[in-house]
Amino acid sequence: MTARRQEFAELLETFRDTAVLVPLRNDGWLTVDFGGVRWILAFSDESALARYALARDEAHLEWPYRTVLGAKLLDAAVPGAGVPCGVALDAADGTEHAVLLPPVTGVVPDAFAVDRMRPEGASW
């Protein structure tokens, strides 16, 4: 269990320091709602984004995106969502390669972590 936690901590640190691709939809980030959480979809590179588009049978569509530092997604975009929110990295790449960064303490700002009390004034 300790090794898994260390592995995740290292992955999280790498994600925070890495620029990722975030598709744009409807004047905002591409997101999906699942399990009571809004997930911002992020991709490690254009190939990963293309695999997602193909999995959705939308490879023929234009997929505009922004390059965003992982830390900015976790520290600014997640709190700005107004609902419990995390980041899903490379969502089409299966459980072996996709990564979920859930809205929990140590991943997102404490005030927006679902394992903490709801922040005063939050709409969720």
Side-chain angles (χ1 to χ4, degrees), residues 58-98:
E58 295 181 5
H60 63 284
L61 299 177
E62 182 179 346
W63 283 76
Y65 62 83
R66 286 221 172 109
T67 302
V68 182
L69 194 60
K72 184 175 179 179
L73 285 178
L74 295 174
D75 298 342
V78 164
V83 296
C85 184
V87 176
L89 179 66
D90 296 339
D93 289 350
T95 58
E96 289 296 315
H97 300 287

Side-chain angles (χ1 to χ4, degrees), residues 38 79-84 112 118-124:
R38 176 156 301 151
V83 296
F112 298 91
R118 184 172 78 181
E120 194 170 313
S123 60
W124 46 274

Side-chain angles (χ1 to χ4, degrees), residues 27-44:
D27 299 323
W29 309 120
L30 177 62
T31 62
V32 296
D33 291 340
F34 183 77
V37 174
R38 176 156 301 151
W39 297 94
I40 299 170
L41 299 180
F43 299 91
S44 56

Side-chain angles (χ1 to χ4, degrees), residues 40-62:
I40 299 170
L41 299 180
F43 299 91
S44 56
D45 55 32
E46 288 182 345
S47 295
L49 176 55
R51 288 189 298 276
Y52 182 79
L54 189 60
R56 292 181 49 93
D57 198 26
E58 295 181 5
H60 63 284
L61 299 177
E62 182 179 346

Side-chain angles (χ1 to χ4, degrees), residues 90-112:
D90 296 339
D93 289 350
T95 58
E96 289 296 315
H97 300 287
V99 176
L100 294 179
L101 300 165
V104 296
T105 304
V107 176
V108 301
D110 287 351
F112 298 91

